[in-house]
Amino acid sequence: MPAYIIVEIEIHDHETYEGYKKLTLDTLKNYQGKFIVRGGKTETLEGEWAPERIVVLEFPTKEMAKSWWASEEYAPAKAIRQSSSATKMLLVEGM
């Protein structure tokens, strides 16, 4: 069953965050992950929600998604993201 990581990001240091974006793509390959949404323009349809940046990643399974998130490959990029932004990250199973 596919799994998705949904991330809401508020960037505090845009210059440093660019380094995160450059590193992340290569870390997904071993986990068969891919970007579905990567910072595209958003439009609020209901409620009060105006995120600065939304990212959605797809993985074949939730186990692969969690393995990627905890991996040594992703750790340097994760450290950059955590130092340059505030994030909310959710793992959800697909259909």
Side-chain angles (χ1 to χ4, degrees), residues 8 42-52 88:
E8 178 183 350
T42 64
E43 179 180 348
T44 302
L45 299 177
E46 290 189 31
E48 295 191 29
W49 189 29
E52 178 180 346
K88 296 177 185 174

Side-chain angles (χ1 to χ4, degrees), residues 49-89:
W49 189 29
E52 178 180 346
R53 182 174 177 85
I54 293 288
V55 174
V56 179
L57 299 110
E58 180 182 48
F59 294 85
T61 66
K62 71 178 185 177
E63 291 77 19
M64 290 187 86
K66 289 169 75 173
S67 292
W68 166 76
W69 182 81
S71 71
E72 289 183 23
E73 296 97 330
Y74 181 54
K78 184 194 296 187
I80 292 170
R81 176 181 51 78
Q82 290 174 337
S83 73
S84 63
S85 67
T87 59
K88 296 177 185 174
M89 189 176 292

Side-chain angles (χ1 to χ4, degrees), residues 16-62:
T16 300
Y17 190 83
E18 286 300 315
Y20 168 76
K21 289 175 16 181
K22 291 176 185 175
L23 290 177
T24 304
L25 186 60
D26 285 341
T27 69
L28 295 168
K29 293 176 184 170
N30 290 336
Y31 303 91
Q32 299 174 35
K34 64 181 179 179
F35 287 102
I36 303 298
V37 173
R38 193 174 190 193
K41 185 177 178 181
T42 64
E43 179 180 348
T44 302
L45 299 177
E46 290 189 31
E48 295 191 29
W49 189 29
E52 178 180 346
R53 182 174 177 85
I54 293 288
V55 174
V56 179
L57 299 110
E58 180 182 48
F59 294 85
T61 66
K62 71 178 185 177

